[in-house]
Amino acid sequence: MLVVMDHKATPEEIDAVVAVIEKKGCTARPIPGGERVSIGILNNEGPVDAGLFLGLPGVKDAIPVTRPYKQVSREFKSEDTVVKIGDIKIGNGFFVIIAGPCAIESETQALTIAEHVHKAGAQIFRGGAFKPRTSPYSFQGLGEEGLKILAKVREATGMPVVTEVMDYESFDLVEEYTDILQIGTRNMQNFSLLRRAGRAQKPVLLKRGLAATIEEWLMAAEYILEGGNPDVILCERGVRTFVHHSRNTLDLSAVPVVRKESHLPIIIDPSHAAGRRDQVIPLSRAAVAVDSHGLMVEVHHAPEEALSDGGQSLYPHQFESLCRQVESIFDILHNGSTSAINGK
Ligand code: PEP
Ligand code: MN
């Protein structure tokens, strides 16, 4: 249930509604909006009677929330969420480009790539310090040393950084260093990790599970919001299908569906979807056209020497071309509106 307050409702009238909700043994979650406050009712066992609220002063409406993912849903919050990382905004017309290597391999490697992508137009740097690898014999990441290198990249370029947090045990450490906490595809339903992310003080980039439905993905995001962290960015990175021409299949149709169902921003990772360099630029173009809120792309200055995912990493000159194409498409689609690619 969502209690929608009149735009002239006073703080006392809002408090009175909260008191009724709490008296019923439920949790009240006020959601400030541009025009009016709404108050979500959580932890109710069974349906709540709208009549409890409709007669109260300052109450405009009481609407049942039908979706299982309550706080993530548009029913609960109709306005787009904008996630802010310093000056960078993601969502509601603000588009972001995130780029960097699959894994942080050395200080020189990270700084070299960071300089290239920053110059080309990336606003946020990516790079794994803890890598989830299919094989235990593959490069697992530099761990804390990788996090320290990410901090140096931020210092040198001014770009915020995003890196994956793989488990509950290392959460505090990763949170200390990074600006955005990435939860990877393999961990989308790691519920203790999601609950910990709900208590985090930093935004979370939640990748779609390898074989997750949109409902399962939104329910995973619900864990984070339910825990008290409203700053979730969803990331579509391809799902497992029967095809062999790409590593996964990029589900672009997820974008309009998620945007209809949820107020959270959604970005696209074409690199892990394609698994091969030659598909990354075309898929990036489509990601802009389908109205996603950003891109996350793997780039390496020497992909043939990369310790992971070299085959899908763009060369710096290709990333530069990608940025120009993305900007052109964005301008055509959003000409005259308030939408913007960050920093442009
Ligand atoms: C990554 O972005 O580094 C990564 C491992 O992606 P995914 O979880 O989508 O496989
Ligand atoms: Mn990768």
Side-chain angles (χ1 to χ4, degrees):
M1 174 79 61
L2 188 70
V3 182
V4 183
M5 302 301 293
D6 191 84
H7 69 281
K8 287 195 197 124
T10 63
E12 292 73 30
E13 288 168 345
I14 294 169
D15 287 349
V17 171
V18 169
V20 173
I21 295 170
E22 288 176 350
K23 207 165 155 217
K24 279 259 145 211
C26 305
T27 308
R29 175 106 1 134
I31 313 158
E35 287 207 351
R36 54 170 51 91
V37 171
S38 298
I39 305 161
I41 304 175
L42 302 169
N43 298 325
N44 48 302
E45 282 172 20
V48 181
D49 179 11
L52 278 175
F53 305 100
L54 288 173
L56 295 179
V59 171
K60 184 169 183 285
D61 208 353
I63 308 165
V65 176
T66 58
R67 299 293 195 265
Y69 34 86
K70 289 174 191 282
Q71 298 188 60
V72 159
S73 75
R74 279 241 182 245
E75 286 179 340
F76 208 82
K77 178 172 181 266
S78 58
E79 291 163 26
D80 277 8
T81 288
V82 178
V83 175
K84 299 189 187 84
I85 302 110
D87 294 339
I88 298 166
K89 295 179 184 160
I90 309 175
N92 196 21
F94 292 99
F95 192 91
V96 71
I97 303 177
I98 304 172
C102 179
I104 302 297
E105 300 167 4
S106 69
E107 189 174 323
T108 313
Q109 172 250 19
L111 285 169
T112 305
I113 298 169
E115 209 173 288
H116 280 302
V117 299
H118 188 46
K119 218 166 98 200
Q123 296 98 36
I124 297 179
F125 185 73
R126 66 145 288 145
F130 294 92
K131 293 303 302 175
R133 303 306 300 278
T134 301
S135 163
Y137 307 115
S138 301
F139 176 59
Q140 305 284 308
L142 295 180
E144 186 167 2
E145 194 195 331
L147 296 175
K148 288 186 176 153
I149 295 172
L150 282 165
K152 284 190 184 157
V153 167
R154 176 176 46 225
E155 207 181 296
T157 63
M159 279 190 289
V161 297
V162 54
T163 198
E164 178 163 353
V165 55
M166 275 196 0
D167 46 44
Y168 190 93
E169 292 71 25
S170 62
F171 206 102
D172 290 357
L173 180 71
V174 178
E175 188 177 9
E176 193 186 316
Y177 283 96
T178 195
D179 299 294
I180 304 175
L181 293 145
Q182 177 174 326
I183 295 186
T185 195
R186 293 155 190 84
N187 267 320
M188 190 205 80
Q189 283 189 319
N190 179 337
F191 298 113
S192 55
L193 196 63
L194 295 172
R195 285 208 185 277
R196 176 62 187 84
R199 298 197 303 276
Q201 303 302 313
K202 294 186 172 162
V204 176
L205 180 71
L206 179 64
K207 290 200 154 190
R208 181 178 181 182
L210 269 177
T213 63
I214 289 178
E215 182 168 321
E216 287 163 342
W217 188 17
L218 293 178
M219 290 304 280
E222 185 78 11
Y223 270 85
I224 303 172
L225 269 75
E226 204 269 327
N229 187 350
D231 290 330
V232 174
I233 305 151
L234 299 166
C235 179
E236 160 62 38
R237 46 80 69 209
V239 288
R240 179 65 58 86
T241 68
F242 52 84
V243 306
H244 297 295
H245 60 263
S246 56
R247 182 172 172 185
N248 293 285
T249 297
L250 183 62
D251 180 11
L252 283 171
S253 68
V255 176
V257 176
V258 164
R259 292 198 54 161
K260 186 163 166 237
E261 287 294 312
S262 175
H263 50 83
L264 295 175
I266 173 168
I267 69 165
I268 299 288
D269 171 350
S271 305
H272 290 90
R276 34 187 293 183
R277 187 176 303 127
D278 61 343
Q279 295 177 6
V280 172
I281 292 181
L283 292 176
S284 301
R285 290 195 294 254
V288 186
V290 80
D291 257 346
S292 70
H293 299 108
L295 278 167
M296 181 155 89
V297 181
E298 285 186 345
V299 180
H300 202 290
H301 65 298
E304 44 300 310
E305 288 162 26
L307 297 181
S308 65
D309 285 349
Q312 67 195 32
S313 300
L314 294 184
Y315 288 95
H317 74 273
Q318 292 178 307
F319 178 68
E320 153 102 56
S321 164
L322 178 150
C323 288
R324 300 294 82 79
Q325 295 182 49
V326 162
E327 284 161 13
S328 306
I329 297 169
F330 192 90
D331 283 350
I332 292 167
L333 292 170
H334 298 278
N335 198 6
S337 76
T338 53
S339 301
I341 296 190
N342 278 275
K344 300 280 164 201

